[in-house]
Amino acid sequence: SQQGEEDPQALSIQEGENATMNCSYKTSINNLQWYRQNSGRGLVHLILIRSNEREKHSGRLRVTLDTSKKSSSLLITASRAADTASYFCATDAGSNTGKLIFGQGTTLQVKP
Amino acid sequence: DVKVTQSSRYLVKRTGEKVFLECVQDMDHENMFWYRQDPGLGLRLIYFSYDVKMKEKGDIPEGYSVSREKKERFSLILESASTNQTSMYLCASTLGQGARNEQFFGPGTRLTVL
């Protein structure tokens, strides 16, 4: 079953602009994670935000979490062509098993 | 750095063949996972394992089996490959159970079944 749904499915921006991607989920969670996938490669972990946190920063990344709306957003500031990739949110659906449920992803293209 | 490796980047097999996809991690992680990734469907969990010789079904286990004889190695087996198993297969590992553990992914195996 699909837990995370990303929006938009695709995003195209110019280098230097900010990119915002949204994720909605259905069940309670312990934490929410964001991953990045370059074309044809495996996923790389970007950031984890716990259910009792509202905002978290890591370099040019800013993640927010609104548990009342069951949604999260990933903001990439001052985007670069190298940020071109697909971005996925993943939740644990309230489980402590280590299993994650991934959304379908947002494909970001940053034009130089 | 954690390293997760997969035996092949690209694989072409024929319908009915038995296919083995191997995954090895070098950080003594307890948990290992197999996903398949298809356009428009995201990542779907096939099987996972908490420990040696332990396995649990994920969301789409039909047509697949797994083997974990050693802690570092988790194999995905397609007993009789079919064209609808053409996909990108991703292996991941994580340290122990717990909700705060990030998953480390291998580079993926793109399997084509003719």
Side-chain angles (χ1 to χ4, degrees), chain A residues 1-2 30-31 33 35 37 40-45 48 50 88 92 95-100 102-104, chain B residues 9 31 33 35 37 40-43 45 48 50 59 88 90 97-103 105-107 110:
Chain A
S1 61
Q2 204 68 15
N30 295 305
N31 65 62
Q33 302 181 36
Y35 287 80
Q37 182 181 35
R41 309 292 297 186
L43 279 71
V44 175
H45 180 261
L48 179 152
R50 289 178 282 181
F88 295 86
D92 54 74
S95 165
N96 283 316
T97 63
K99 283 174 56 179
L100 294 177
F102 288 83
Q104 295 179 6
Chain B
R9 288 299 314 280
N31 297 350
F33 305 82
Y35 298 90
Q37 183 178 22
L41 297 177
L43 275 75
L45 182 63
F48 61 103
Y50 291 134
D59 298 321
M88 168 73 110
L90 293 165
Q97 295 191 34
R100 297 186 56 186
N101 296 322
E102 66 178 276
Q103 291 191 6
F105 282 81
R110 188 167 293 281

Side-chain angles (χ1 to χ4, degrees), chain A residues 49-87:
Chain A
I49 185 166
R50 289 178 282 181
S51 60
N52 62 355
E53 296 176 314
R54 291 297 167 255
E55 188 170 311
K56 201 162 183 179
H57 296 256
S58 176
R60 292 185 296 113
L61 305 180
R62 173 180 167 246
V63 169
T64 62
L65 179 64
D66 186 336
T67 53
S68 67
K69 295 181 179 178
K70 291 186 169 59
S71 67
S72 173
S73 67
L74 171 67
L75 169 68
I76 304 174
T77 60
S79 64
R80 304 165 182 169
D83 294 328
T84 295
S86 293
Y87 293 83

